[in-house]
Amino acid sequence: EASAFVTENLEVQGQARLSLTGKGGLLSGTAVAGKDKVFDLELKNSGTADASGIKLSSSTPSNWNVTFNPSSVESLAAGDTTTVKATIRPSSEALTGDYSLTLSASSENSGNISEQYRITVRPSSLWGIVSVIIIAAAAVLLVFAVKKFGRR
């Protein structure tokens, strides 16, 4: 009777899987042209291994500025989520409307991920105040003209 034994060693490796979204999964927000707006982003590792050396970046329309705090995350354990603050400043010349930004995270061991983030640019409230002043001045001028020249 013959017998044989084979010893095998298997090494199972997990893989990190990153995602980057706004709080509650939102991928949109509002901002005012030329003013900083801070958005809380969730950086999540839903993989089975730790993610390391994560760097955050963005691609924006011309003359926009995006900064991240922190700008990098040394390590994110499997299953963990961390909050990253993104300060977005639309161009002071941005017209009212919707704009698309690409927010990205790259890791040494999980590759790159990118998400499209929609920002709705609103006009400054200063323009609303200026409009009310102009309308009030026109009304006062009209009343003055009617009193001075009367109805003919």
Side-chain angles (χ1 to χ4, degrees):
E1 180 173 316
S3 65
F5 293 96
V6 175
T7 303
E8 242 186 83
N9 292 328
L10 297 176
E11 185 176 318
V12 178
Q13 292 183 341
Q15 183 174 1
R17 180 183 295 152
L18 295 176
S19 64
L20 183 65
T21 62
K23 283 285 188 187
L26 290 177
L27 292 172
S28 63
T30 59
V32 175
K35 305 257 185 203
D36 284 350
K37 177 74 182 269
V38 178
F39 295 94
D40 287 333
L41 304 177
E42 292 178 347
L43 179 62
K44 182 176 183 177
N45 179 3
S46 59
T48 55
D50 294 355
S52 60
I54 304 166
K55 294 187 182 355
L56 299 163
S57 61
S58 65
S59 175
T60 64
S62 182
N63 296 324
W64 283 50
N65 188 29
V66 176
T67 56
F68 296 98
N69 186 17
S71 59
S72 63
V73 176
E74 188 175 317
S75 180
L76 187 60
D80 279 358
T81 301
T82 188
T83 300
V84 176
K85 294 195 179 295
T87 303
I88 299 175
R89 180 187 296 163
S91 167
S92 59
E93 299 169 359
L95 300 175
T96 299
D98 290 343
Y99 294 84
S100 181
L101 313 174
T102 302
L103 303 180
S104 304
S106 63
S107 171
E108 294 171 352
N109 61 339
S110 71
N112 299 331
I113 57 115
S114 295
E115 293 291 346
Q116 293 294 314
Y117 204 84
R118 183 177 59 91
I119 299 292
T120 301
V121 174
R122 296 180 295 118
S124 170
S125 57
L126 175 64
W127 286 111
I129 294 169
V130 168
S131 299
V132 168
I133 291 172
I134 290 172
I135 291 169
V140 167
L141 187 61
L142 181 64
V143 167
F144 176 74
V146 168
K147 283 189 176 194
K148 177 155 177 110
F149 299 112
R151 295 176 64 190
R152 295 184 185 200

